[in-house]
Amino acid sequence: MSGQSTAAIRREGLWSKAVYKFSRDRAGLVSLAIVSIYTIVALGAWGGLWATEWADVTGGKWMPVSSEHWFGTNIIGQDIFQRALFSTRTTFEVGFVVALLATAVGALLGAVAGFFSGSWIDEIALWMMGVLDSIPFYLFVAAIAFALQDNPYAMHVAMIATFWTTVARLVRGEVIKLKSLEYVEAAHAIGVPEIVIIFRHILPNTFHILLVQGTITFVAAIKSEVILSFLGLGVKEGMSWGLMISESTMEVMAGFFNNFLAASAFLFVLVMAFNMFSDALQDALDPKKV
Amino acid sequence: MRSILVVIMAVAIGACGGEGQQATQAAASTTGLKVYRHAMDQAPSTLDPVQASNVYANHVVVNAYDTLFSYKYLARPYALKPNLAVEMPEISDDELTYTIRIKQGVRFIDDPAFPDGKGRELIAEDFIYSIKRQFDPSQLPVGTWFWIERIVGLDAWKEAGSDYSIEVEGFRALDDYTIRIQLKRPYPQLLDTLTTGYSAIVPREAVEYYGKEFASHPVGSGPFKVIEYDTAKILFERNEHYRQEPVDIWYEGYDPETQAYTGVEVIHGRSPPFIDRLEIDFIGEDAARWSSFTKGNEVQYTVLPNEQVDQVLASKNPVTFKPEYAEKYHGYDVVEFGFVFNAFNMDHAEFGYREDPVENHRNKLLRCALIKAWDWPARSESFYFGLAKIYPGIIPPAVPEFDPDMSRDSVTRDVVEARRLLKEGGWTAENLPVFIFGGAAGIKNRLFFEQARSWFKEVGYPMEKMKLKQFATFGDLSKAWRNSELMYVSKGWGLDYPDAENTLQLFYGPNKTPGSNDANYLNPEYDALYEKSSVMRSSPERTRIYREMNQMIVDDCVAHTGLSRTRIFMWHKDVIALPDRQIVGGFFLKYVDLKTEDTIVEQIN
């Protein structure tokens, strides 16, 4: 009897309920499987298990699809399939770095602003968010890329500097709500320092927001990376789907579409899967949904 | 009601017309003007002759301004002719004094820069002023190298502060219509330099009146005047005061056998310009330019984009169009007057000169190995669809001094030999230097780099030691070249005049950066030969010297060179022209005519 009640209590928790709900969401599971496959592809490329010849000229110009070149070759004879695989690594590198740091910065500043809402700290944080949000994104990236010259992380810096504001606004709102709850007042009453209240008692309770927002930022980062690389402002070294699409501008006029199709398909499937995964996660973590 | 009827009639008439004739007929029927729409892949960054350093600027400058000499419209090989000059100059026996008489009654266009807004007569002093600007640092000149250390007193005038009130001994206007140039030593290419945009004649009033804005406000005496200019297009109107000089197509070098298809016979005996308006659209994207060209009622000229080669051409050698294109368009193919090459910067210790003779030799072996690793045919096939000529050295096929029998070893890939040379030099993956390529931003330059990296990797150069440094603009890249910041210089060079001296000077020691010798190649023997040949007129002896210098460049493994692209110019069949922009940009534009309905009927009959 007591064992059953313990299990019932465990199922009532936010996370166990989320796992339960997610496991019932078919679209969510399919999207998770796709994202997992992409992750394995990225890890394999990162570990040198495959796509090791992405930079080599291994064939002739614009060779058609064959058993040797699954997606054909590009204008200088590089294998398009290998380049598409290697680009997955780039995508995940950019996505993870940007999502992780933008979410962390957003969480930190959002929590502090929310906790001290109405104070000068909140004013400054809101002013910063307002200023950054008011700058057109691609103009901002171009300015940072120019300022940082050849720095391969110029794109990352620009994205983090832009994407954290959304996270911060959401976290700020949640923290304003949480800080008026009784357990926080109790912590105040027993003399727990404010910094401990913020980071030990409030911030962990915004984690479901951070998780969902992290996946959304991940998708935004990979889409932006492709666009920026296409524009020549993104990836400096390595390969990216954006660069492949950029390459295809020299090819589609001549009737060769393999580069364009391969990069677009890889990007489309990943973005769709991540969006579906993000939706499923949001549903699973939403306590209002049954 | 009446206006609706007019619109309906206009639509009906338009529907009956041929696609290729829509532009002209539409222009003629709505405005009564002959309008020719030209296209270029880039906008000029300035219209000031003192900075007219590229083909884009020259397209505008030589049409808005006058030059003393020009090239004959149709003669190939190119031949000089007087333009603003009355005749070819009188040259002293020692070839040091040139006396040039200019035409009388030539006027600058009307402009607020002049009193009462009326353009005044162009006189010899205007030419003197215009060239002096190239020696005045305040004007930010870029064409000085044409005349530096060539004209008596001009360099000293610059050193003394470029005071225009001070007369230069060797560079004077004897009267309003006579110019006297005294040279320090013979300069056989002098007249060629006086065809270029750099030498275009500007009125001092306008330069002073507009200040910096003069760069976007041309005030010249050329066949056209600029009425609108922005980054998308430039619009010219016929200069109504342009001198009446009927064209003699036979004097211009007309060859009926090869040029009859252009229809240029109809301009014989008539005075240019033949069109009322000239519009040049700057369309950077090949796809957009091609689309505009094939649309029928937009631009009437384009260079065939590489990506369209397989769609448009029936054969590449010789170049022939597929019937559907031959029916609509004229074409003209020619090996470019210039070449592309990649030079090692000899000032950088990674690949260049070293004080220690042993290290110096090792670097030479490294350069030679990388030259053997280079695959020119693959470069040509990938990016130029095989429409290019590959040859050793820096004398391109377009000039008479080209040597077709030169050994092709330096342009023949040999991976085994490349590895052997690396081994001989003691080069290993561990001690090879980091190789930084430079290029302007853009996917093409990135692919250039990736292709070269792949070739070098094949002979043992570690991939992680080869990096690409991209510059936001071509201007930034040029600046890096001038400042000798890059260890490897990849560039194209368009000939300023049809003489190999123009490419050989690219490796002449005193021209080292910030001059045109970006490779910073220093070879006293080469320099001595250059100096010796630079005062010689075309002759077998000079050709022999040129070729000897060319061989030095190859033997010293200074550069991956060379490749000259085949240019295919295409234009609508209602345009009467030979639109060859190879030399001095668009000097042909003043001869462009359009078929009117009368001439079309005449031709059909």
Side-chain angles (χ1 to χ4, degrees):
Chain A
M1 184 70 188
S2 75
Q4 276 180 350
S5 64
T6 308
I9 289 165
R10 202 178 292 137
R11 274 202 298 276
E12 285 303 308
L14 176 71
W15 296 105
S16 55
K17 223 160 121 183
V19 170
Y20 177 78
K21 279 199 276 185
F22 193 87
S23 65
R24 292 284 183 279
D25 187 337
R26 282 187 184 174
L29 289 174
V30 170
S31 62
L32 178 62
I34 294 171
V35 171
S36 302
I37 292 169
Y38 270 89
T39 310
I40 292 165
V41 168
L43 287 172
W46 184 71
L49 297 176
W50 45 69
T52 51
E53 292 184 332
W54 68 273
D56 296 346
V57 173
T58 53
K61 176 184 182 180
W62 291 341
M63 288 176 76
V65 172
S66 67
S67 57
E68 199 182 346
H69 303 289
W70 291 6
F71 291 172
T73 60
N74 69 0
I75 195 168
I76 61 172
Q78 294 166 313
D79 187 280
I80 290 173
F81 181 65
Q82 296 230 16
R83 288 163 83 75
L85 286 187
F86 190 85
S87 301
T88 313
R89 169 189 146 167
T90 308
T91 297
F92 272 71
E93 270 176 11
V94 174
F96 270 122
V97 169
V98 173
L100 206 67
L101 292 178
T103 308
V105 172
L108 186 72
L109 294 178
V112 171
F115 190 79
F116 297 108
S117 59
S119 71
W120 63 270
I121 296 172
D122 187 34
E123 291 283 315
I124 289 175
L126 285 173
W127 177 80
M128 276 170 63
M129 291 178 220
V131 168
L132 288 171
D133 285 346
S134 67
I135 303 172
F137 176 61
Y138 293 106
L139 201 64
F140 187 56
V141 176
I144 289 193
F146 184 75
L148 296 180
Q149 290 293 332
D150 289 329
N151 194 315
Y153 295 103
M155 170 180 60
H156 300 67
V157 170
M159 282 197 234
I160 293 164
T162 312
F163 292 162
W164 71 269
T165 58
T166 312
V167 182
R169 285 185 198 282
L170 291 169
V171 171
R172 178 178 173 274
E174 186 69 8
V175 170
I176 290 172
K177 189 178 86 183
L178 291 173
K179 76 172 185 178
S180 59
L181 295 183
E182 285 175 358
Y183 81 95
V184 178
E185 283 177 13
H188 273 298
I190 61 171
V192 178
E194 285 178 332
I195 195 156
V196 177
I197 294 175
I198 295 171
F199 293 107
R200 185 176 294 172
H201 300 295
I202 295 181
L203 204 52
N205 286 307
T206 64
F207 196 70
H208 61 292
I209 292 175
L210 299 182
L211 199 62
V212 172
Q213 202 53 37
T215 58
I216 291 170
T217 308
F218 190 100
V219 175
I222 60 179
K223 283 196 292 187
S224 302
E225 180 274 308
V226 169
I227 293 167
L228 292 171
S229 295
F230 175 77
L231 294 173
L233 296 168
V235 171
K236 305 282 181 201
E237 289 180 17
M239 189 32 58
S240 135
W241 296 326
L243 287 173
M244 289 174 69
I245 293 172
S246 185
E247 276 176 26
S248 73
T249 57
M250 297 168 64
E251 300 174 335
V252 289
M253 264 179 76
F256 186 81
F257 300 94
N258 295 24
N259 238 333
F260 176 75
L261 292 175
S264 303
F266 268 74
L267 176 66
F268 175 77
V269 173
L270 180 62
V271 169
M272 280 296 288
F274 239 110
N275 276 333
M276 285 162 64
F277 174 64
S278 178
D279 283 348
L281 203 61
Q282 202 163 6
D283 289 346
L285 289 168
D286 188 349
K288 290 173 199 158
K289 290 195 178 175
V290 181
Chain B
M1 186 64 194
R2 195 176 159 189
S3 58
I4 293 170
L5 278 173
V6 170
V7 170
I8 292 169
M9 282 172 70
V11 169
I13 292 165
C16 295
E19 196 185 39
Q21 294 158 19
Q22 283 175 1
T24 316
Q25 290 172 358
S29 61
T30 55
T31 64
L33 299 175
K34 274 188 179 179
V35 182
Y36 168 60
R37 287 183 70 179
H38 196 70
M40 289 201 298
D41 52 350
Q42 201 174 306
S45 53
T46 175
L47 309 184
D48 187 344
V50 84
Q51 294 172 337
S53 61
N54 56 39
V55 68
Y56 310 108
N58 270 298
H59 262 78
V60 178
V61 168
V62 299
N63 284 295
Y65 295 95
D66 257 319
T67 52
L68 291 184
F69 300 94
S70 179
Y71 291 102
K72 291 183 178 178
Y73 176 30
L74 304 166
R76 301 293 179 277
Y78 293 97
L80 284 165
K81 67 167 186 177
N83 185 31
L84 186 66
V86 174
E87 61 208 346
M88 295 306 279
E90 286 171 21
I91 305 172
S92 64
D93 290 342
D94 60 5
E95 297 191 26
L96 293 178
T97 305
Y98 284 62
T99 306
I100 303 165
R101 278 188 293 279
I102 65 168
K103 289 167 182 163
Q104 300 187 17
V106 173
R107 281 180 56 192
F108 287 112
I109 58 168
D110 293 342
D111 191 273
F114 299 110
D116 302 326
K118 284 281 177 196
R120 64 162 172 80
E121 187 182 18
L122 186 158
I123 56 173
E125 196 57 52
D126 291 310
F127 170 75
I128 300 295
Y129 169 75
S130 302
I131 300 295
K132 276 182 169 176
R133 287 182 75 215
Q134 292 284 0
F135 285 76
D136 176 359
S138 72
Q139 302 291 319
L140 307 175
V142 292
T144 320
W145 63 276
F146 266 166
W147 303 290
I148 203 162
E149 292 296 329
R150 297 282 192 179
I151 298 172
V152 174
L154 204 48
D155 299 278
W157 178 81
K158 179 186 175 185
E159 291 300 315
S162 304
D163 180 351
Y164 291 93
S165 65
I166 297 173
E167 201 170 75
V168 176
E169 184 197 344
F171 195 62
R172 286 184 299 148
L174 300 183
D175 57 46
D176 280 354
Y177 308 108
T178 312
I179 296 156
R180 168 73 51 84
I181 302 173
Q182 285 175 290
L183 300 173
K184 290 179 178 177
R185 58 183 190 280
Y187 186 12
Q189 295 85 18
L190 175 67
L191 298 187
D192 291 290
T193 69
L194 300 182
T195 67
T196 64
Y198 287 140
S199 72
I201 301 165
V202 302
R204 184 170 180 174
E205 300 94 314
V207 175
E208 290 173 352
Y209 180 83
Y210 288 107
K212 283 183 180 173
E213 285 183 30
F214 185 66
S216 59
H217 199 112
V219 181
S221 57
F224 297 101
K225 57 182 177 186
V226 175
I227 55 172
E228 197 182 312
Y229 166 55
D230 56 38
T231 53
K233 70 176 179 186
I234 187 163
L235 195 58
F236 297 87
E237 253 178 16
R238 166 214 295 270
N239 175 6
E240 64 273 21
H241 299 304
Y242 192 65
R243 54 190 175 275
Q244 294 293 298
E245 291 176 341
V247 175
D248 178 343
I249 58 169
W250 305 105
Y251 171 76
E252 296 291 338
Y254 177 57
D255 177 2
E257 270 188 35
T258 59
Q259 296 170 338
Y261 74 96
T262 63
V264 293
E265 281 184 22
V266 299
I267 67 170
H268 184 69
R270 296 163 57 208
S271 296
F274 307 115
I275 51 174
D276 299 298
R277 282 195 173 196
L278 165 64
E279 180 179 321
I280 303 178
D281 289 17
F282 311 127
I283 311 175
E285 282 297 322
D286 284 349
R289 199 170 54 258
W290 179 249
S291 170
S292 178
F293 175 73
T294 52
K295 204 170 169 188
N297 58 354
E298 293 187 0
V299 301
Q300 293 157 283
Y301 161 92
T302 187
V303 177
L304 177 63
N306 283 333
E307 297 77 12
Q308 291 296 336
V309 163
D310 288 339
Q311 319 289 324
V312 174
L313 297 189
S315 68
K316 290 180 186 171
N317 192 16
V319 170
T320 57
F321 291 166
K322 288 178 180 170
E324 60 269 34
Y325 291 97
E327 192 185 327
K328 285 188 194 167
Y329 311 117
H330 284 311
Y332 175 66
D333 64 284
V334 61
V335 175
E336 73 172 322
F337 256 65
F339 69 129
V340 292
F341 66 103
N342 308 279
F344 296 101
N345 186 343
M346 303 299 280
D347 260 1
H348 281 240
E350 289 87 348
F351 297 106
Y353 297 124
R354 302 284 288 267
E355 281 185 15
D356 178 357
V358 177
E359 290 299 315
N360 203 37
H361 182 63
R362 284 185 71 222
N363 273 14
K364 183 181 170 186
L365 290 171
L366 173 55
R367 294 194 303 273
C368 293
L370 295 178
I371 284 172
K372 296 305 288 181
W374 194 266
D375 192 345
W376 277 114
R379 171 70 38 117
S380 168
E381 187 53 39
S382 296
F383 296 100
Y384 311 116
F385 286 69
L387 284 167
K389 285 203 183 307
I390 297 159
Y391 51 88
I394 56 169
I395 299 181
V399 292
E401 296 86 2
F402 174 70
D403 181 2
D405 300 323
M406 195 172 172
S407 164
R408 296 183 64 81
D409 276 358
S410 65
V411 288
T412 306
R413 189 165 200 240
D414 188 342
V415 173
V416 175
E417 176 64 3
R419 287 187 185 136
R420 191 195 68 74
L421 288 166
L422 285 177
K423 196 175 174 188
E424 186 185 332
W427 293 107
T428 63
E430 288 71 39
N431 66 14
L432 278 165
V434 173
F435 191 165
I436 298 172
F437 295 69
I443 196 66
K444 199 171 195 173
N445 285 317
R446 193 182 177 93
L447 286 166
F448 279 158
F449 160 70
E450 287 198 19
Q451 192 179 46
R453 181 174 65 181
S454 159
W455 296 332
F456 296 160
K457 186 184 169 196
E458 208 178 326
V459 300
Y461 219 110
M463 195 170 118
E464 62 277 9
K465 283 196 169 180
M466 291 177 279
K467 297 186 183 304
L468 174 65
K469 182 178 171 67
Q470 286 200 299
F471 294 82
T473 64
F474 183 75
D476 292 339
L477 177 66
S478 302
K479 197 174 162 192
W481 289 339
R482 283 199 300 276
N483 294 337
S484 192
E485 289 170 18
L486 295 171
M487 61 174 70
Y488 188 66
V489 176
S490 307
K491 69 189 301 187
W493 181 262
L495 287 162
D496 295 290
Y497 38 80
D499 186 326
E501 184 269 347
N502 196 238
T503 58
L504 292 165
Q505 58 85 26
L506 293 171
F507 292 86
Y508 174 52
N511 284 353
K512 67 178 293 193
T513 53
S516 53
N517 178 6
D518 298 311
N520 291 301
Y521 178 62
L522 292 175
N523 180 343
E525 209 181 332
Y526 181 96
D527 293 349
L529 287 176
Y530 177 83
E531 281 154 19
K532 184 179 174 190
S533 64
S534 70
V535 297
M536 296 169 72
R537 290 202 175 269
S538 181
S539 66
E541 173 60 9
R542 192 183 72 164
T543 299
R544 190 194 62 73
I545 295 173
Y546 278 1
R547 290 177 177 177
E548 197 179 331
M549 293 160 71
N550 197 29
Q551 190 62 50
M552 287 179 185
I553 298 293
V554 171
D555 292 344
D556 285 341
C557 297
V558 189
H560 291 106
T561 181
L563 178 146
S564 294
R565 296 158 288 194
T566 301
R567 298 282 196 201
I568 300 171
F569 307 110
M570 295 178 71
W571 62 100
H572 289 186
K573 284 201 167 172
D574 57 347
V575 177
I576 300 165
L578 183 68
D580 174 5
R581 66 175 220 187
Q582 294 283 69
I583 287 279
V584 200
F587 79 93
F588 67 87
L589 282 166
K590 80 170 178 179
Y591 300 106
V592 170
D593 197 4
L594 294 169
K595 285 178 186 169
T596 58
E597 285 174 26
D598 293 342
T599 55
I600 292 167
V601 171
E602 199 175 291
Q603 285 201 344
I604 291 168
N605 293 334

